[in-house]
Amino acid sequence: MKLIIAYIQPEALNEVKQSLYDAEVYKMSITNAMGCGQQKGYHETYRGADIEVNLLKKVRMEIAVNDEYVESTTDAIIRGARSGNIGDGKIFIIDLPECIRIRTGEKGPEAVG
Amino acid sequence: MKLIIAYIQPEALNEVKQSLYDAEVYKMSITNAMGCGQQKGYHETYRGADIEVNLLKKVRMEIAVNDEYVESTTDAIIRGARSGNIGDGKIFIIDLPECIRIRTGEKGPEAVG
Amino acid sequence: MKLIIAYIQPEALNEVKQSLYDAEVYKMSITNAMGCGQQKGYHETYRGADIEVNLLKKVRMEIAVNDEYVESTTDAIIRGARSGNIGDGKIFIIDLPECIRIRTGEKGPEAVG
Amino acid sequence: MSKLKKIAMLSLALGAVALPMATMAEEAEVTAADAMAMAENAMFTVNNVWMMVATFLVFIMHLGFAMVETGLTRAKNTVNILFKNTAIVAIGLLTYTLIGFNLMYPGFAEGASGFFGFAGFGVAAPEGADGLINYASGNYTYWTDFLFQGMFAATAATIVSGAVAERVKLGPFLIFCTIYVAIIYPWVGSWKWGGGWLDAKGFYDFAGSTLVHSVGGWGALAGIIVIGPRIGKYVNGKVKAIQGHNMPLLTIGAFLLWLGWFGFNGGSVLSADPGAVSFVLVTTSLSAAAGIIGSMAASWIIQKQPDLSMVLNGALAGLVGITAGADVVSVTWAIIIGLVCGSVAVVSVMVFDRLKLDDPVGATTVHLVCGILGTLFVAVSPDHSIGPQLLGVVSYAVVCFPSALIIFLVLKYTVGIRVSKEEELKGLDLGEHGMEAYHGFQFFTNV
Amino acid sequence: MSKLKKIAMLSLALGAVALPMATMAEEAEVTAADAMAMAENAMFTVNNVWMMVATFLVFIMHLGFAMVETGLTRAKNTVNILFKNTAIVAIGLLTYTLIGFNLMYPGFAEGASGFFGFAGFGVAAPEGADGLINYASGNYTYWTDFLFQGMFAATAATIVSGAVAERVKLGPFLIFCTIYVAIIYPWVGSWKWGGGWLDAKGFYDFAGSTLVHSVGGWGALAGIIVIGPRIGKYVNGKVKAIQGHNMPLLTIGAFLLWLGWFGFNGGSVLSADPGAVSFVLVTTSLSAAAGIIGSMAASWIIQKQPDLSMVLNGALAGLVGITAGADVVSVTWAIIIGLVCGSVAVVSVMVFDRLKLDDPVGATTVHLVCGILGTLFVAVSPDHSIGPQLLGVVSYAVVCFPSALIIFLVLKYTVGIRVSKEEELKGLDLGEHGMEAYHGFQFFTNV
Amino acid sequence: MSKLKKIAMLSLALGAVALPMATMAEEAEVTAADAMAMAENAMFTVNNVWMMVATFLVFIMHLGFAMVETGLTRAKNTVNILFKNTAIVAIGLLTYTLIGFNLMYPGFAEGASGFFGFAGFGVAAPEGADGLINYASGNYTYWTDFLFQGMFAATAATIVSGAVAERVKLGPFLIFCTIYVAIIYPWVGSWKWGGGWLDAKGFYDFAGSTLVHSVGGWGALAGIIVIGPRIGKYVNGKVKAIQGHNMPLLTIGAFLLWLGWFGFNGGSVLSADPGAVSFVLVTTSLSAAAGIIGSMAASWIIQKQPDLSMVLNGALAGLVGITAGADVVSVTWAIIIGLVCGSVAVVSVMVFDRLKLDDPVGATTVHLVCGILGTLFVAVSPDHSIGPQLLGVVSYAVVCFPSALIIFLVLKYTVGIRVSKEEELKGLDLGEHGMEAYHGFQFFTNV
Ligand SMILES: Nc1ncnc2c1ncn2[C@@H]1O[C@H](COP(=O)(O)OP(=O)(O)O)[C@@H](O)[C@H]1O
Ligand SMILES: Nc1ncnc2c1ncn2[C@@H]1O[C@H](COP(=O)(O)OP(=O)(O)O)[C@@H](O)[C@H]1O
Ligand SMILES: Nc1ncnc2c1ncn2[C@@H]1O[C@H](COP(=O)(O)OP(=O)(O)O)[C@@H](O)[C@H]1O
């Protein structure tokens, strides 16, 4: 099993959700995040004082999937999130040795889905 | 060492904290999250427009523990979080090769606790 | 590649960011978190009822780096976050087998930076 | 309105006794009587303007209550609290129209027991000048009277709303309000303001420390007892704090209440009488200010750090405390009353908490405890004594508390008064309304 | 101001007809005429005080509108909404100074068509008593008149603001407002309140269900049509809810609007006439209360759970509905009007939604639909009939809607009226102002 | 209050000169003198009602200040700011009762230097008519006077509060306020409004551009200098923005302040004089509106995008600017004053920032800079000249600034005036009060 962590633009969330559904990935968790990367951020001027915002609003998705789903999931995320502009985000994939469904106590692959 | 990630119902947080204390797990980090899974979500109607909420409020816990604690920790989480209803949540367990305590620079197992 | 997760004091964020920049680490993601650890928390009294706050505001950083950067990154975090007081936080380092840049589809090490 | 019809309308408006302004132009032969009529009409008009302004101020108190309650409770129950406060205003005004007004001011006949009277359903102004300048010897019209009193009515129920917040079922609560505002409040009110038996006994309550605030406070106490504390308030015997989620809203509410009190007390003079009204405004303000200082001191000493929510409660405590005697106590006493009520409020909140009476907003403290205190403080004024004041306090206690208790109990064992554990944990906004108060914001609903 | 100069100033102020108070001291030989002069002056003063108070109340409605719009939209567009509402007040007052006032009250000559008139640029009070006691037969001064009317002006534009919120470009919108408030509103207003042709036709609109609210409503409708729905509102044919982000602000707004309406309607009596004003306040309040009950019932039945935003819309619906006939309908009818408008509002909001007319705050429902309803309801009063009322409704429709449509279309095809997709998704606060409304708070901008 | 006692009370209230309304009934033989008495009494009553309304409006300004300061600062310091503003109102009213009123209006004897006077501790109304109709030639009662002036008092301290926000220690700050409000403000106020030496010199300040706003502004400037900038405001020489956390609250505050200004300026006429008051309301409103336009233009040009916080500061700038001459400048000048103050405000805020004078809310800009500007603008009116105005500005500068500086320095080197670095970073809410303003909400405290 793998744990897929993706940082995407907040605006892209709905489209990513959609394309994940199309890829039959229905389970996910998201959190609010702030990120800085190549995307340089923008300049607000608040009361005339220039303020360089380099931590931008992002959405962090966490999706646990079985190995055979990794490809389709990442593709789905990319499909939904790519605008071609800097700031589209990143996907990190890490190993997930164990997963437990709290309700039933099921473990492993069948607990993920 | 292992890093335990758990998604639970917000309402269950206090009970989970309690059962973790009982299991002598005192250190943890939590964040706000939204999740969708088998739990289908609910329908709000806002100003007459039906709105299907499928991203539900969840709490994400992150607990780093030494290997011998994994079992007792997950059991504690399950004890506190299980209501038997869909939406109870999931626990993900990943390997944690290294851990550092910022204050002292201690590394490895003794840094976790 | 490694995924570095650090919990630091909110107040320390700006200094940590600075020292990361000095270490030429420009990419990171942060989220709001609440944590409890050795730091015992404090007592608010709200309307005369004593309230023991043991979940304290923390900031969670997530930084994906190539292996050769791990050391310098963690050092930078420590440099920025260490006050010597309980509550300074923790750093967790986990393996990151794969990383994808959404915009370009690049994979692996060059996607991280 | 187009200005053409004005002159016609006006002369009409001035009623029997007045001269059409029109005559201003051609300086006709004016008699002293004409002049007097015009002067009395002017006096009538200014009195009425003042009473209307006071009505507006009392109206805005409802927003004040809504904000105080919202600020002192949790984000997940905000929509529900706002909803209750909105509904209560409507229920209060409409029931007062239907029966309240005539229940409160039945016009007891000579020698009537003055215990209960009812002048019939609905409202209708007496014909001509009798509903105007002659209605209250030139102080206000029938309609001004009705609206001013109507705005008071809903207050009693609003007080209860805060005390049972975060756990009460919406429907049943609205039923309680309807009964309490439509019948209990105006009925007991008639004893004093309606010129009933307590008035005859020399009981004094200028603007309602007892008639409004204690009445509401008794309802609140009954509600708290019947419904029980919120989940997580008392964990294995220990009192836990459940923090309010929005201090700016609390502050907005408290200031709006103070503002409203200028009308609540100032309007209770029932005329624009310059001396009386301005004096009342001064005692009211100074008592509120002293309430802040008193509670600040108490809070700082007892809690080590000054608690904003306590200090704002303190201001309200001072306001409730001065309400009964605002026109009869001296400036010095007004300050003392404020200091006492303010500091007592801090202690009282803690005491109720330890008595396991869970009152999220301190309604029982502010309105009941300080309402009683204020009523008794009237005795410090030369022409009043403690006897009748005690009698009044007790009379309202023995009627309001039991009746509220009964209503709540009946509701509890029929439709049920409390939401399910799940709903309470999830929040009443989603439970009762399927809405969120702060959509998109992230906050912990479990705190 | 230092009190020394007062007496001098005062005697001055009292104008030609008045006696310096100074004479109060030495009880000189006073004639009935002197007394009458003083009495009339007192009456003039109280009338004017009332109109000034009404002006303040109408002013605070702008804050009410700002809060309602803010509460019903998303956090990412909050700064933009607040900005628009602030700018509109300024634009409204200044354009009204420059041309609006003289366009709305041109003082049509005898036998004039009463269709268009303009009394020239700028404002200036008539000399001496003509700008004071004689200006409006002792009801208010020239300046009070100007300011009261000026506060009304901006309202029409504010109504549009909410309807096109969350997607309209700031600059072009302000241009629309300027034109609509400076020309359309006062021009069509002159037909009735300016004593123009519709007034002659017996059309009746007491305080502006049509002249203010429908005028704004037509502008809102035009705006919605031209600018189109917000992204995400209609996803492949399905109506999606876009939730407002702050229910407490919505509630503050609604209560402030109700408060303001006391001045909006009460002030429209154009004098402090005790009978007339207090009656208007009663009908206004009862209609608002009934609007709450009506919408609560409708919402509870249709939506299964009572929707706070609907109920507050219902209160406003009742207020708009009573505005046209507040002084001529009975108390009972006031309640009926409130119930009807309140329940209709709930349905109307849903209908507009399904017609793909995306109105985030329900401005079209509250101000247009209920504005029309209220105008027609005037016919229930004995001395009015449906004919002229229909004529009025239609006349304003056929002029306001097209003109607003044209202005918006011209703007659309020149400077453009809508922000880019990126900006709309990111939010107008960052897009138009480079600011955040709630800096540091975490909320989902994608919802 | 029960209506039975009314008639008695009233006749009492009307005082020596008046006729009991009772006589209205049986049309007794009325003399012209009776009529005149009644008319004068009516005039007295309406004047007093107006002054009371003005008092309410000034009171609500304190909520306005609280909201503006809260909105423009960070969420972690909100409770502290709300607390300070609440405490200041109480301190202001009570110290004004104790000494302020008699320090500000000592009633300088003929030929007195008019530099310092004190009429003794506490407040007490003159007996009978001398405290009523005769107190201010029928314009208001002693108590109205006291309360109206008392509401002004706290303002000066509130202005300072915003400037030193987010870093000042609670206790010491309250000590400063007490001294500044109890002694400095009323003492220097006596020079002009107390009929002191500056009044004799022909200095003119209608409602307090200098006496209230500059006085507060100088205190603010002194505070900023002594306490230093907030951590993170100036990072190695560069000016960093520290964003306010709540723009809706800022907007609520600004609108409430505008509303309050109707009483602040309108009440400063010290009577309900229709001509004078309504004119003042117009100049006040137009200057505020022009302030919005002026700052909007400046902000749009300089900052590229229009900054809401600047525009709202602009409205306040216009209001402060018109305050000194609201009754003597023309409508056109009122607009010019607004435009100038509004645009200057935008620049001024940036200048102070670059001068490393860290003023989170722009208090020095709005109250000091525009206070001075406004005072000088009085010279554009025919019957005033620049000389005395400059003299006034300078006199207040040389006394207020140093005295504030001294108080702050003494506090700094004794009890300390600034919280610890840790506390400042963590936020004063937890540090000074052990509370959170938005419990449960997630926001970044480090921004
Ligand atoms: N090495 C990294 N570690 C953690 N988060 C990262 C890293 N690189 C990128 N991110 C996250 O992805 C977001 C988008 O990255 P950015 O470099 O701006 O866009 P792109 O990858 O398209 O150039 C960042 O805002 C940050 O949240
Ligand atoms: N595969 C997954 N990846 C990420 N988060 C998940 C996954 N499955 C479940 N979750 C999280 O767990 C929560 C509960 O899961 P759900 O399926 O609704 O309940 P249950 O597991 O009891 O059926 C979800 O809301 C989501 O936050
Ligand atoms: N075992 C752990 N699992 C998850 N988070 C932890 C763990 N230990 C510490 N943390 C995080 O680090 C923060 C600081 O830890 P704490 O023990 O208070 O300070 P220190 O490590 O300096 O003693 C905690 O608030 C928590 O957020």
Side-chain angles (χ1 to χ4, degrees), chain B residues 3 27-30 62-65 101-103 111-113, chain C residues 7 34-40 56 58 85-90 92:
Chain B
L3 186 63
K27 303 198 163 191
M28 70 196 75
S29 300
I30 69 171
E62 208 163 44
I63 309 176
V65 293
R101 166 173 283 122
I102 290 172
R103 172 166 49 89
V112 167
Chain C
Y7 285 94
M34 314 260 285
C36 67
Q38 263 173 58
Q39 190 183 18
K40 278 285 137 293
L56 306 174
K58 299 284 167 183
N85 304 327
I86 285 184
D88 279 353
K90 294 267 173 82
F92 304 118

Side-chain angles (χ1 to χ4, degrees), chain B residues 12-29:
Chain B
L13 178 60
N14 291 329
E15 273 151 59
V16 171
K17 261 172 61 186
Q18 200 48 57
S19 60
L20 281 168
Y21 286 174
D22 303 346
E24 284 158 343
V25 179
Y26 301 110
K27 303 198 163 191
M28 70 196 75
S29 300

Side-chain angles (χ1 to χ4, degrees), chain D residues 3 6 13 24 141 431 433 440, chain E residues 40 145 269 273 278 305-306 444:
Chain D
K3 297 165 193 165
K6 290 306 305 166
M24 254 167 45
T141 69
H433 305 277
Chain E
E40 284 171 335
D145 186 23
V269 170
D273 173 350
S278 58
Q305 289 183 309
F444 287 96

Side-chain angles (χ1 to χ4, degrees), chain D residues 37-47 133, chain E residues 39-40 42-44 46, chain F residues 39 42-43:
Chain D
M38 173 60 94
E40 284 171 336
N41 196 16
M43 181 61 91
F44 167 46
T45 309
V46 55
N47 279 327
I133 192 161
Chain E
E40 284 171 335
M43 180 62 89
F44 167 45
V46 55
Chain F
M43 181 61 91

